[in-house]
Amino acid sequence: MFIYRARVFDTPTDPFSGGSLRSESDVALVVDDGLIIARTDFASATADHPDAEVVDLRAGVLIPGLIDTHVHYPQIRAIGYLGKPLLDWLDHCALPEEAKLGDHDYASALAGEFLTGLTSAGTTSAMVFGSHFATAMDTFFTQAAEVGLRITSGLVTSDTILPEPLLTSVERSVSESQDLIDRWHGKGHLRYAVTPRFSFSAGQELLAAGGQLVADNPGIWVTSHLNENRDEIAGVAEKFPEALDYLDTYDRAGLLNRQTILAHNVHPSDRELARMAEVGAASAHCPTSNSNLASGFFPLRRHIEAGVRVALGSDVGAGTGFSLFKEGVQAYFMQQLDPSGGLPLSSAHLLHLATAAGAEALELSDQVGDLSEGKRFDAAYIQPTAGQPLAVGLEHASSDDDALAKIFAMGTPADIAQVWVDGRLVKG
């Protein structure tokens, strides 16, 4: 049993619905076997639990573990290619890298690098866009289980457009996916997600086969891409003339429900937003990727007003790194600049998007997303080196909201000293 004495920031009430930052300068979290059994003052905690080990974290700031709702395992070595729109970036940067994961040793090395990237950035839960190779997914799930992160992921499937090594058949996709589901879904903190790359590279039969997997395996997830780039959208419309729109290609296949997270959605129609809200599907907002690939301004206001759930994604490797602090501040910038009228964001909004909103999108709100009594202890401890800009900023912040804004404006993975998942230290 541990007592974590800390300055704690979290957002148990949604700032988009009138909530605000919950900040306490000196609070005690009593953690027993990974569960927060009390959130109280230090004197009460030590009186009630005199034998607990005390961990004093008041020199920094403790926040909930960060939650990334869209990040690509095979693309860690593709980070940093600039100056290309989506389809050119895929052809010249991402897909050649992804084809290399057919080699076991290469896939294993990437899995280790990728998981280190997540933990270093304070990310404790993630919807991970997987590999086209079943062997690479076995390797990834094996290593993710050892690290202990809360991972939802699956075999990526395509049967057209892409380079031949990345293509599959309907029969093979079903067989390999079902084997991975049987082996990994529900094991520890792991869950499976049916993952068509996007409708542009997946025919109707392949999409429908994924929908049948969802029907046959209650509890598994779905993730893919949606409305990221106008050329991509035009290509999907040409390929699926019978569909109402891009979203409808997934809906017709049985891939749209409350356990569906669709990345980007930069250019949605009103009908698509209404349908997403109706079924409870969520959007993963990936700000640095949208900027890097010049995909456009994410219509956050339209999503919120339509009732569509939104959380942050790093979109490594079109995104520029694993840090959700960077994604949060980029979301702020883009909303400030959106010529159609962005949604003004406070630091509490940014923390919510990076934590509790991700937990809600991943249906993990009963376990993680804030540091309340009854939740699991997934947390990141921010303690910048003395004299560094963030340390100076925190020392001189005018309020807790200001301190949190400085964390998003200046924070990097180097400022995250310790990270816990389910009470287990995974960094530091």
Side-chain angles (χ1 to χ4, degrees):
M1 185 178 294
F2 294 87
I3 297 172
Y4 295 94
R5 188 178 187 182
R7 182 185 187 188
V8 177
F9 294 169
D10 61 358
T11 55
T13 58
D14 185 353
F16 291 99
S17 301
S20 61
L21 175 67
R22 177 172 64 173
S23 59
E24 294 183 88
S25 61
D26 187 0
V27 65
L29 302 178
V30 183
V31 177
D32 186 12
D33 194 26
L35 179 69
I36 302 172
I37 63 170
R39 178 173 173 145
T40 185
D41 62 273
F42 182 66
S44 297
T46 53
D48 292 342
H49 307 281
D51 296 327
E53 181 178 340
V54 175
V55 180
D56 193 337
L57 303 175
R58 288 175 294 166
V61 177
L62 189 70
I63 63 171
L66 300 165
I67 298 176
D68 192 333
T69 57
H70 184 68
V71 55
H72 290 254
Y73 147 46
Q75 293 181 11
I76 183 170
R77 297 184 186 179
I79 301 170
Y81 288 103
L82 304 177
K84 297 180 185 296
L86 171 66
L87 299 183
D88 286 347
W89 183 85
L90 285 171
D91 287 342
H92 294 98
C93 307
L95 298 180
E97 182 65 27
E98 296 206 22
K100 298 177 183 178
L101 271 78
D103 178 88
H104 174 268
D105 290 342
Y106 197 87
S108 181
L110 254 65
E113 293 167 0
F114 177 84
L115 292 164
T116 296
L118 291 179
T119 56
S120 294
T123 299
T124 55
S125 301
M127 172 65 87
V128 176
F129 218 84
S131 169
H132 289 266
F133 299 96
T135 51
M137 289 311 301
D138 250 333
T139 296
F140 174 67
F141 278 130
T142 297
Q143 293 193 32
E146 291 170 355
V147 175
L149 299 184
R150 302 182 194 275
I151 296 293
T152 306
S153 188
L155 180 71
V156 181
T157 57
S158 294
D159 61 359
T160 185
I161 302 292
L162 302 188
E164 192 280 332
L166 301 179
L167 300 180
T168 189
S169 66
V170 171
E171 295 76 15
R172 188 175 121 207
S173 74
V174 171
S175 175
E176 291 180 340
S177 296
Q178 190 63 59
D179 285 348
L180 288 166
I181 292 166
D182 293 342
R183 195 151 51 245
W184 295 109
H185 182 68
K187 180 177 180 180
H189 295 147
L190 304 178
R191 303 184 304 189
Y192 192 85
V194 170
T195 311
R197 185 170 200 105
F198 53 178
S199 297
F200 195 45
S201 69
Q204 190 61 49
E205 287 187 24
L206 186 65
L207 292 175
Q212 190 60 52
L213 283 169
V214 172
D216 292 342
N217 298 273
I220 66 171
W221 284 72
V222 177
T223 193
S224 193
H225 298 92
L226 178 69
N227 291 325
E228 181 177 2
N229 170 281
R230 293 195 185 279
D231 289 340
E232 163 212 13
I233 296 166
V236 171
E238 182 177 349
K239 184 177 178 181
F240 295 89
E242 74 287 354
L244 297 173
D245 43 43
Y246 197 154
L247 182 73
D248 195 43
T249 64
Y250 299 125
D251 205 354
R252 287 168 178 255
L255 292 169
L256 194 65
N257 58 53
R258 190 169 177 84
Q259 293 183 189
T260 300
I261 296 180
L262 297 170
H264 302 295
N265 208 23
V266 178
H267 307 287
S269 66
D270 289 343
R271 193 212 74 86
E272 287 171 307
L273 290 174
R275 180 60 179 155
M276 289 181 71
E278 180 182 5
V279 301
S283 283
H285 174 28
C286 307
T288 69
S289 173
N290 292 345
S291 300
N292 178 28
L293 302 181
S295 299
F297 290 90
F298 179 73
L300 179 59
R301 183 187 297 276
R302 289 177 59 211
H303 277 75
I304 297 300
E305 290 178 351
V308 179
R309 298 180 298 159
V310 177
L312 285 180
S314 66
D315 198 26
V316 162
T320 58
F322 287 92
S323 175
L324 291 186
F325 297 151
K326 184 194 292 188
E327 296 301 329
V329 78
Q330 185 69 16
Y332 169 84
F333 293 152
M334 296 296 279
Q335 292 302 307
Q336 290 283 97
L337 294 170
D338 187 349
S340 67
L343 192 62
L345 299 175
S346 68
S347 59
H349 288 110
L350 303 186
L351 183 61
H352 187 79
L353 286 169
T355 57
E360 184 180 353
L362 284 165
E363 298 284 296
L364 292 172
S365 292
D366 61 329
Q367 301 177 60
V368 297
D370 61 80
L371 294 171
S372 297
E373 184 176 320
K375 299 292 181 74
R376 308 303 299 183
F377 189 66
D378 285 19
Y381 177 51
I382 302 157
Q383 188 184 28
T385 302
Q388 291 298 307
L390 180 56
V392 174
L394 290 176
E395 182 181 355
H396 297 285
S398 60
S399 66
D400 288 339
D401 289 279
D402 183 36
L404 182 58
K406 294 180 187 303
I407 288 170
F408 275 92
M410 293 186 280
T412 72
D415 298 306
I416 298 176
Q418 292 175 287
V419 181
W420 298 263
V421 178
D422 220 18
R424 177 173 170 259
L425 199 64
V426 297
K427 176 185 177 179

